[in-house]
Amino acid sequence: MAHPTDVRPGAAPLPPADPVLDNAVWAALTGPHAHLADRYGRAARYRPETYAFAALADPADPAAWADLHTLVGPGNPVRVKPVERVPDGWEVLDQGVGVQLVDTALRAEPDPRAVRLGADDVPEILDLVARTRPGPFLRRTVEMGTYLGIRHRGRLVAMAGERLRPPGWTEISAVCTDPAYRGRGLATRLVRAVAAGIRDRGDIPFLHAAADNTPAIRLYESIGFTLRRRSRITHLRSPGTTGAGRTLDVTTRSARRTPTRPAAPDGRR
């Protein structure tokens, strides 16, 4: 799937209406990331320490929820997106709303200072993540795709990389900059560099942000991403017994919001 690397002339087009993006986690787990998945029937999840999310083939299908219960076991926590309704008996521990943005006018280009990060860099990556809190990043998240970083005097000060890979698409994620190096455009440069690699293999870049993280959304839009959709992210505990009952709208369930939200490039929130 060809995708030009230069900014498109004129106004940004409407985001692509690709249904793959409507259930991106499932599409990735049953597609390019199948080797990172644990799956039972119509439910799948990333393996431990890779990415903390599961997905359903059809979030409205009670049978898919029953499969998820079998996959995660009784009384265990699991994060699922997107989901609006969950079966009775599943405890809502936490919930939030995210937005999905897709590349419609991004200038993608390699960066001469960007270096490839790998398994040996994980301790330093986790240290940067702990200080900047760009979103979920675990010990094996680096296996999900290409991660690039910028170093200053040998120290990792900024990074960005690839996370979800539904067919034809790749998510840019873990965009963060050390607080002492913000305001220099390092993370934006890395987003462009990661996007260049994504386009080179024929995929289209996209990304996610917290719906209330207005500065991040505005910044991503300013560099060529277009808002495509909103979706609910839910942290659940599976029923302690087998079986699933009627569905409930999660918006009517009380839940504690997570105070953390992803940082925009260069750490702006």
Side-chain angles (χ1 to χ4, degrees):
M1 181 185 299
H3 199 62
T5 56
D6 295 329
V7 177
R8 298 164 182 75
L14 292 174
D18 190 338
V20 165
L21 291 181
D22 294 340
N23 198 352
V25 180
W26 174 259
L29 284 166
T30 56
H33 277 172
H35 64 290
L36 300 175
D38 290 327
R39 181 176 175 183
Y40 184 86
R42 297 173 61 77
R45 67 175 176 180
Y46 279 94
R47 289 174 183 158
E49 298 193 334
T50 302
Y51 185 44
F53 276 89
L56 306 166
D58 179 0
D61 181 6
W65 284 97
D67 287 345
L68 180 62
H69 186 264
T70 300
L71 179 64
V72 303
N76 289 318
V78 62
R79 287 179 170 84
V80 184
K81 66 176 182 181
V83 58
E84 297 297 331
R85 295 167 63 83
V86 301
D88 192 16
W90 289 75
E91 179 186 359
V92 178
L93 302 175
D94 201 355
Q95 61 181 308
V97 177
V99 295
Q100 184 183 81
L101 300 98
V102 299
D103 164 24
T104 54
L106 177 67
R107 187 181 80 246
E109 57 190 5
D111 190 291
R113 290 188 59 192
V115 296
R116 178 86 179 250
L117 303 175
D120 292 342
D121 301 297
V122 167
E124 198 171 5
I125 291 172
L126 293 176
D127 178 68
L128 180 61
V129 166
R131 288 183 286 111
T132 57
R133 305 173 77 179
F137 197 100
L138 305 174
R139 291 192 176 275
R140 294 182 55 196
T141 301
V142 73
E143 299 175 17
M144 298 179 73
T146 299
Y147 282 82
L148 301 178
I150 291 178
R151 295 183 177 276
H152 180 72
R153 297 179 179 175
R155 183 188 182 198
L156 183 65
V157 298
M159 75 169 189
E162 302 173 356
R163 193 167 60 184
L164 297 178
R165 281 195 64 188
W169 301 84
T170 301
E171 179 192 21
I172 298 177
S173 184
V175 181
C176 57
T177 301
D178 184 294
Y181 293 85
R182 291 173 182 169
R184 306 183 188 187
L186 299 182
T188 300
R189 285 165 48 188
L190 286 171
V191 167
R192 298 189 193 281
V194 172
I198 292 170
R199 288 194 189 163
D200 282 347
R201 66 167 177 263
D203 282 2
I204 304 174
F206 74 108
L207 51 80
H208 292 104
D212 61 354
N213 195 352
T214 304
I217 295 169
R218 286 177 176 169
L219 191 145
Y220 287 133
E221 289 178 328
S222 75
I223 64 173
F225 287 90
T226 299
L227 184 65
R228 179 180 180 271
R229 73 190 300 261
R230 297 165 64 93
S231 62
R232 188 167 297 278
I233 305 164
T234 309
H235 187 196
L236 304 164
R237 190 185 310 279
S238 62
T241 58
T242 59
R246 61 189 178 87
T247 58
L248 296 176
D249 188 335
V250 298
T251 61
T252 67
R253 305 280 293 274
S254 61
R256 174 179 52 82
R257 283 296 304 271
T258 303
T260 304
R261 61 186 181 185
D266 289 342
R268 291 185 289 273
R269 294 180 179 274

